[in-house]
């Protein structure tokens, strides 16, 4: 092992150092206390700093720029639909709160940097770590590289200080954000997150009117019964289903066997004594209905129950259905026998309610018999079959166009101001993601590919940053001083407190939702996990998605802004 270290095989083969750094970084990232984890990104940065200090290997800047540009495009692509949706009237309160948090964070970080005499590197590191936004590292380093009048040595030193400042302030920033929102503020205001989330869920769910969403449990079951009740004989399937719907039950007769033969299914089929019917229902509805009493004895009929079912992903795009609530949608004839399993919005599962309105770009997962699901999918929007192929024409063109719009620069007081290629990739990712939401036939980027570009792209980038900054980590940390940790903690808390006061007293946002809004505005994923855990509910997530999209965009841009302000 000693001989291995002495030989330093990473000098001629730096790519090996990058991969072992990422492996160790993901291992470090699994370190967890309750709902709070170090995270893969910070883990990769720490591993890079440690291994970089040991082996003193320099990785070509093109490598990290490649991964960072890819990451920013993927980030914009993922949050694009949500970002533009937030600009609409119903999302504006959450957008405004996120802007307050982000602007306050910038001003506090800048004020501390000026007070302490930090240069552009430490200023950006303080902002990125305190506000838990990893993308600040790359954007700030790009901005430092464009500053005029810096020697090559000074420029490299400032770029390294970005990573050092971030590594010092990020872990505590994440912990403090989660603790403040999940524990401190609720206890200080004597609020029970679990009780309030449950109450809010009831208000939004209207459980007595919506068996689909009762207590968040809506498993579909399939049973067979032989008709023995005289009052069912002579009635049509449509008549039976309408009666059950009026009683609040979602129970459907999906197939009928008569005299040993399975009939072609129509809603006008008249039921006879001795018919065996396949019943599709929500488990709760079937228990309440007591099918044995109201239909007849249960039987087992493999062929009757063995019809093909489907779980279909549908991207909402039909104008006639957009803006309608889930409750309205369920009353449509094409939804007979079809169930809404889940709804995804901006790539994340959205805890929908009866009052949830369908928006363009939402992905609705429908389940039920294939013959019923396919027409329902076409009525709602564009069915999207599962595909693992990434549209690289879409991705490559988006990154190229983003880079092109990011290159031109204005000069203010001798300082060039531009989006940079990485900033341009973020903006174009937002646009392309929004287009994909509106026209889902274009630009397929499956979840696996998004994860590769988003999570792994950022981790590879920060691993390279850490490796390059490793040799100067000790000297940089001594330059910054451990006071950076204290000021970083204050810079984490002040924006959250300001956002809370604004949201609670001025906007009057419900408490569980407000906690989600604040976690999103500061883009702290660990915090929303801790809040949901404390709430014993996914309700706070309703306030998280829009501010998260806005926060990602603004805080990323702040990386360049604070460099210019402290130049």
């Amino acid at each position: 092992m000693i001989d291995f270290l002495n030989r330093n095989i990473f000098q001629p083969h730096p790519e090996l150092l990058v991969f072992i750094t990422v492996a160790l970084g993901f291992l470090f990232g699994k370190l967890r206390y309750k709902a709070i984890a170090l995270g893969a990104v910070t883990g990769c940065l720490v591993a890079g700093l440690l291994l970089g200090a040991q082996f003193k290997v320099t990785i070509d800047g093109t490598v990290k720029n490649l991964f960072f540009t890819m990451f920013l495009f993927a980030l914009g692509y993922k949050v694009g639909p949500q970002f533009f949706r937030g600009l609409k009237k119903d999302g504006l309160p959450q957008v405004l709160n996120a802007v307050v948090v982000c602007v306050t964070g910038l001003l506090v970080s800048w004020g501390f940097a000026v007070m302490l005499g930090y240069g552009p590197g430490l200023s950006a590191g303080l902002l990125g770590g305190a506000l838990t936004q990893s993308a600040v590292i790359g954007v700030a380093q790009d901005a430092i590289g464009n500053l005029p009048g810096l020697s090559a040595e000074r420029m490299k030193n400032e770029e390294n200080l970005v990573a050092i400042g971030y590594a010092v302030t990020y872990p505590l920033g994440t912990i403090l954000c989660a603790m403040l929102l999940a524990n401190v503020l609720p206890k200080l205001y004597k609020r029970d997150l679990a009780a309030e989330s449950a109450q809010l869920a009831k208000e939004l769910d209207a459980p007595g009117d919506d068996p689909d969403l009762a207590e968040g449990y809506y498993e579909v079951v399939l049973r067979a019964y032989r008709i023995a009740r005289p009052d069912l004989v002579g009635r049509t399937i449509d008549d039976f289903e309408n009666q059950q719907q009026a009683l609040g039950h979602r129970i459907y007769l999906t197939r009928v066997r008569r005299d040993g033969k399975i009939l072609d299914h129509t809603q006008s089929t008249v039921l006879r004594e001795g018919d065996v019917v396949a019943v599709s229902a929500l488990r709760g509805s079937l228990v309440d209905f007591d099918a044995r009493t109201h239909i007849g004895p249960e039987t087992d009929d493999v062929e009757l129950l063995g019809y093909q079912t489907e779980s279909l992903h549908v991207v909402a795009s039909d104008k006639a259905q957009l803006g309608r609530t889930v409750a309205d949608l369920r009353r449509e004839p094409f939804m007979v026998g079809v169930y809404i399993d889940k709804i995804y919005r901006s790539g994340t599962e959205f805890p929908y309610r009866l009052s949830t309105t369908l928006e363009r770009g939402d992905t609705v997962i429908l389940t039920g018999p294939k013959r019923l699901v396919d027409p329902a999918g076409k009525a709602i929007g564009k069915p999207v079959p599962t595909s693992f192929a990434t549209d690289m024409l879409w991705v490559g063109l988006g990154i190229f166009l983003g880079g092109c719009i990011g290159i031109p620069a204005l000069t203010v007081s001798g300082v060039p101001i531009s989006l940079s290629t990485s900033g341009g990739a973020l903006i174009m990712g937002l646009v392309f993601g929004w287009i994909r939401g509106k026209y889902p036939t274009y630009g397929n980027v499956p979840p696996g590919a998004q994860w590769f570009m988003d999570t792994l792209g950022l981790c590879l980038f920060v691993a390279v940053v850490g490796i390059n900054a490793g040799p100067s980590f000790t000297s940089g940390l001594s330059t910054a001083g451990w006071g950076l940790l204290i000021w970083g903690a204050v810079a984490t808390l002040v924006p959250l407190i300001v956002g809370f006061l604004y949201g609670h007293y001025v906007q009057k946002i419900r408490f569980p939702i407000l906690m989600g809004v604040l976690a999103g505005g500061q883009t702290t994923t660990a915090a929303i996990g801790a809040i949901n855990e404390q709430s014993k509910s996914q309700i706070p997530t309703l306030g998280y998605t829009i501010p998260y999209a806005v926060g990602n965009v603004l805080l990323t841009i702040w990386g360049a802004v604070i460099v210019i302000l402290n130049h």
Side-chain angles (χ1 to χ4, degrees), residues 339-480:
Y339 304 91
I340 296 176
D341 188 4
K342 296 178 181 178
I343 294 179
Y344 286 86
R345 185 166 287 173
S346 297
T348 57
E349 186 176 348
F350 189 78
Y352 72 92
R353 301 293 175 246
L354 256 184
S355 58
T356 298
T357 57
L358 202 63
E359 299 188 2
R360 184 179 293 276
D362 285 352
T363 298
V364 182
I365 300 181
L366 304 177
T367 60
K370 182 175 175 58
R371 62 179 177 81
L372 300 177
V373 168
D374 286 348
K378 292 177 182 177
I380 292 172
K382 177 68 178 178
V384 181
T386 302
S387 173
F388 298 104
T390 299
D391 189 346
M392 286 308 300
L393 171 63
W394 192 252
V395 174
L397 181 63
I399 293 175
F400 172 76
L401 293 177
C404 287
I405 67 172
I407 292 174
L410 299 173
T411 300
V412 178
S413 301
V415 178
I417 300 175
S418 71
L419 289 172
S420 77
T421 55
S422 55
L426 172 65
I427 300 301
M428 197 54 66
L430 289 169
V431 173
F432 272 42
W434 173 73
I435 293 174
R436 164 72 176 175
K438 290 179 68 69
Y439 306 102
T441 54
Y442 299 99
N444 181 51
V445 183
Q450 287 191 37
W451 181 91
F452 180 87
M453 291 193 295
D454 183 351
T455 303
L456 187 59
L458 180 58
C459 287
L460 284 166
F461 164 75
V462 298
V464 174
V465 168
I467 291 169
N468 289 341
S472 61
F473 178 72
T474 303
S475 60
L477 186 58
S478 62
T479 299

Side-chain angles (χ1 to χ4, degrees), residues 193-250:
L193 279 180
E196 292 195 29
S197 294
Q199 177 61 35
L200 187 54
K202 287 182 179 180
E203 293 177 16
L204 295 173
D205 276 349
D209 182 47
D210 187 15
D212 260 359
L213 302 173
E215 299 181 5
Y217 180 69
Y218 44 93
E219 183 179 4
V220 178
V221 295
L222 189 62
R223 300 283 181 84
Y225 298 90
R226 186 180 302 277
I227 294 180
R229 291 280 301 181
D231 56 331
L232 283 181
V233 176
R235 297 173 59 187
T236 65
I237 291 176
D238 191 57
D239 181 34
F240 171 82
E241 292 178 347
N242 288 336
Q243 180 192 45
Q244 297 309 312
Q245 186 174 20
L247 295 173
H249 298 148
R250 298 203 70 194

Side-chain angles (χ1 to χ4, degrees), residues 521-546:
Q522 204 140 306
T523 66
T524 310
T525 306
I528 191 62
I531 295 165
N532 286 341
E533 183 180 57
Q534 196 71 20
S535 302
K536 300 177 182 178
S537 168
Q538 294 293 316
I539 284 292
T541 307
L542 295 172
Y544 178 76
T545 53
I546 291 176

Side-chain angles (χ1 to χ4, degrees), residues 462-530:
V462 298
V464 174
V465 168
I467 291 169
N468 289 341
S472 61
F473 178 72
T474 303
S475 60
L477 186 58
S478 62
T479 299
W482 286 103
L484 176 64
L485 196 64
I486 298 173
W487 298 114
V490 177
T492 295
L493 297 175
V494 171
L496 292 172
I497 293 171
V498 171
F500 171 77
L501 295 175
Y502 175 61
H504 185 64
Y505 292 105
V506 179
Q507 295 181 302
K508 301 188 184 303
I509 299 175
R510 298 287 288 271
F511 209 90
I513 301 294
L514 179 56
M515 297 301 101
V517 169
L518 295 172
Q522 204 140 306
T523 66
T524 310
T525 306
I528 191 62

